[in-house]
Amino acid sequence: MSNLFYQTKSPRPLLERAEGIYMWGQDGKRYIDGSSGAMVSNIGHSNPAVLAAMRTQMESSTFGYRLHFQTESSEKLASMTAALAPEGLNKVFFVSGGSEAVESALKMARQYALTQGEAQRYKVISRYPSYHGCTLGALAITGYAPMTAPFDPMMKAMPKIPAPRAYLDGLDPNDEATGQHYADMLEAKILEEGPGTVLAFIVEPIGGASTGALVPPAGYMQRIRDICTRHGVLLVHDEVMTGGGRTGRFFGAEHWDVAPDLIALSKGFGGGYVPLGAMVARDDIVEAVMASGGFIHGFTYAGNPLACAAGCAVIEQIEALGLVKNAATMGDKLAERLQSLMQQYPLIGDVRGKGLLTAFELMKDRTSKEPLPPELHAHSRLVDIAYDNGLIIYSRRTRGGASGDHFLVCPPMIVTENQLDDIADILAASLAQYMAEIPEYSGAA
Ligand code: PLP
C-alpha cells in the first residue's frame, strides 16, 4: 500500500541503481534505458564527473536564494548556455523544468510587447498535435486533447495550426513546396486572428512526444521565421526535448540555421541529474523588460546552485565526450536498424527523427496510413512487452491523442553500436510477440 501516486497506477518495480544506459530494478532485472527516461538522461546515468561536480558544490552550498546571493555556478551555466545559443540570444533565466521554461518564455514575450506599446498582443499560436507542458499556461498552447480537454474551461483558448505531418498527408517532406504549404498555414492564422493581436508562435523544432520525432519539411523552419518577423510575432523554439544535443546539434533548430527570439530548454540540459531548465532570450527583449521595471516572474528554486553546478558538468561532459557528434552518428545507425525492422514487420508504418530523437509508428495499413484500432492500445501494450523484455521505450497516441501509436527510441547519447544492436534485437522480439497477439492486423504491407 503506497501513499504515492502519479497519473495512473504504476506497476513498475523499485529502482535500485542506474549506470550508463542501464537501469536495475529491485526485481533483479536489468533494463536498457532506450528512451533516456522521458528523453532526459542524455549523457547516461551516474556520470562520475557530474556526480563529482555535484558533490563539490554540495560541500559549499546547496541553496542560495537568487534575491540574496549571486552564485558562481549559475553565472557559469548562464555564460556556457549563451555561448551555445544563437547569436543575439545571450540572456538566460533559470527554471526547474520544461513547463516552467515555456511559461517563462510566454510571459517574457508578453512583457516585451507591453514595453513596445503593443498591449493588444496576447495570442500565442501553436500546433496540433504538440506538447509544451502541463501547467495551465503551457497546457493552453499544447495540442493534445486527452491532456487539455478536462481543463479547457479554465484556460484561455489559443489558436492552433496543423503540425506539418507530410507523411500522413501524402506530401514529400523534401520538397520546399511542402514546407511552404504548412508554413503558410501560420500566416493564414495570423491574418485570421488579426496580426496586431498575435504575440508569439511556439514550435518544437523536431516534434517530441505528441508527434513522435516529427521532422519539419524542407524550408518550413526558415519560412515560419520569415512570417513571424514580417508580422512582429515573436518566435519561440521549444527545445525542451531537442536542446542538449540529442538531435545531432546542440539545439535542434541548428539543422536549419534559424534563430528564434526565445528558447525553452530543460530535459537533457540537466541530463536527469537535477530538475533544471532555462529560458534563453534575445538581449534586446530582456533589456527592454528590465528597463521597464523588471520581469514579473520567478520560481523559488530557479538558479539553484546545485542544479546549475550539475548543468555545467553536463555540458562539459557533452563536449568532452563528443556526445553531440555521437548522437548524429549513432542516430543514423539506429535509423538503419529501425528501417530494417520496418522491412521485417509490416505493422511499422513510418520511421522518423533526427540523431537520437527517433521514433517509429505502428499502423494498420502502411499505404493508407490507417492507424490500428484505438481499443488495441498498441501504444501501451508494446511498451509493456518491451519493458518485460528489458527495454524501456516511450510512446504516445499519434493523432492528437485519439488514435495512432508511435514509439520513441531515444537512448542516451553515449550509446554504442553494440548496444544499438541489443536494442534492435529486443525490439524485434517484442514486435514479434505483439504481432502474435493481434494476428488479424499483423499481415498488412
Ligand atoms: N516542452 C516539450 C517539447 C516537452 O517535451 C516537455 C515535456 O515532455 C515539456 C515542454 C514540459 O516539460 P516538463 O515535463 O519538464 O515540465
Side-chain angles (χ1 to χ4, degrees):
M1 186 33 200
S2 169
N3 297 105
L4 180 66
F5 76 99
Y6 295 112
Q7 289 100 320
T8 51
K9 283 187 186 163
S10 175
R12 304 298 191 207
L14 283 169
L15 175 63
E16 188 169 86
R17 69 186 178 94
E19 196 180 322
I21 72 157
Y22 301 108
M23 308 186 83
W24 286 264
Q26 282 189 7
D27 55 356
K29 260 177 80 173
R30 189 191 80 173
Y31 299 83
I32 296 178
D33 188 1
S35 61
S36 306
M39 285 58 77
V40 175
S41 301
N42 280 5
I43 68 163
H45 299 272
S46 304
N47 178 294
V50 179
L51 299 184
M54 290 173 71
R55 254 178 237 119
T56 305
Q57 177 62 50
M58 280 191 278
E59 295 298 333
S60 65
S61 66
T62 52
F63 186 73
Y65 187 52
R66 67 188 183 283
L67 299 185
H68 300 158
F69 288 100
Q70 312 284 342
T71 64
E72 251 177 55
S73 60
S74 56
E75 281 291 345
K76 181 175 166 191
L77 183 58
S79 119
M80 290 171 85
T81 308
L84 289 161
E87 213 184 313
L89 280 82
N90 292 302
K91 298 293 183 189
V92 182
F93 183 89
F94 289 119
V95 295
S96 303
S99 305
E100 289 185 7
V102 168
E103 296 280 346
S104 305
L106 301 188
K107 288 172 83 173
M108 178 53 77
R110 170 68 184 161
Q111 272 199 257
Y112 175 65
L114 294 178
T115 68
Q116 303 302 296
E118 297 199 286
Q120 71 286 1
R121 285 193 192 263
Y122 69 92
K123 296 175 188 167
V124 179
I125 301 177
S126 60
R127 310 189 305 179
Y128 198 96
S130 64
Y131 187 66
H132 297 292
C134 65
T135 50
L136 289 174
L139 196 63
I141 54 165
T142 283
Y144 199 77
M147 296 184 80
T148 55
F151 309 104
D152 278 345
M154 300 167 71
M155 299 187 291
K156 186 102 191 145
M158 289 290 177
K160 309 271 184 308
I161 59 167
R165 293 185 294 173
Y167 74 104
L168 287 183
D169 297 336
L171 298 173
D172 176 5
N174 300 314
D175 185 348
E176 295 253 341
T178 304
Q180 179 169 344
H181 165 71
Y182 289 106
D184 286 352
M185 293 178 182
L186 172 61
E187 183 145 43
K189 185 57 90 179
I190 292 173
L191 295 174
E192 180 190 323
E193 293 291 332
T197 68
V198 180
L199 176 67
F201 174 57
I202 185 163
V203 58
E204 297 158 83
I206 297 163
S210 61
T211 54
L214 183 76
V215 179
Y220 178 83
M221 292 298 286
Q222 295 90 337
R223 195 166 175 91
I224 59 169
R225 172 67 277 182
D226 292 347
I227 292 169
C228 287
T229 305
R230 253 187 297 117
H231 292 286
V233 169
L234 292 173
L235 176 61
V236 183
H237 283 176
D238 182 344
E239 296 254 16
V240 166
M241 194 179 287
T242 48
R246 166 163 297 286
T247 72
R249 299 286 173 89
F250 191 85
F251 289 102
E254 285 173 33
H255 289 285
W256 298 276
D257 201 21
V258 281
D261 303 300
L262 296 149
I263 302 174
L265 267 179
S266 187
K267 293 193 183 264
F269 187 56
Y273 287 84
V274 277
L276 179 65
M279 181 256 293
V280 187
R282 234 171 58 199
D283 303 13
D284 63 304
I285 291 179
V286 174
E287 280 152 17
V289 169
M290 297 315 271
S292 75
F295 190 26
I296 311 167
H297 184 62
F299 300 96
T300 299
Y301 279 104
N304 174 269
L306 178 59
C308 290
C312 290
V314 166
I315 293 180
E316 279 161 2
Q317 283 297 286
I318 289 173
E319 288 173 350
L321 302 176
L323 295 185
V324 178
K325 186 158 179 288
N326 200 53
T329 315
M330 289 301 138
D332 287 345
K333 294 184 185 300
L334 174 59
E336 278 166 22
R337 282 159 177 77
L338 293 179
Q339 294 288 355
S340 96
L341 286 180
M342 188 172 171
Q343 304 304 320
Q344 234 176 310
Y345 297 93
L347 271 183
I348 301 183
D350 194 48
V351 171
R352 52 184 180 263
K354 250 194 202 305
L356 286 172
L357 183 51
T358 309
F360 65 90
E361 183 172 336
L362 298 189
M363 294 176 196
K364 180 177 168 192
D365 184 329
R366 198 182 271 177
T367 313
S368 69
K369 314 288 183 205
E370 190 185 340
L372 286 165
E375 59 278 9
L376 286 180
H377 300 292
H379 65 291
S380 60
R381 183 64 195 130
L382 182 62
V383 164
D384 285 349
I385 293 173
Y387 193 94
D388 289 344
N389 291 335
L391 172 67
I392 301 170
I393 52 175
Y394 191 99
S395 71
R396 280 280 171 83
R397 288 250 195 247
T398 313
R399 322 277 166 104
S403 64
D405 307 273
H406 64 246
F407 301 83
L408 286 142
V409 186
C410 302
M413 306 192 296
I414 52 168
V415 74
T416 64
E417 206 169 345
N418 285 341
Q419 291 170 332
L420 287 180
D421 286 335
D422 294 343
I423 291 172
D425 287 348
I426 301 179
L427 265 180
S430 305
L431 280 160
Q433 215 172 313
Y434 185 54
M435 281 174 60
E437 285 184 7
I438 52 158
E440 65 274 38
Y441 296 111
S442 295

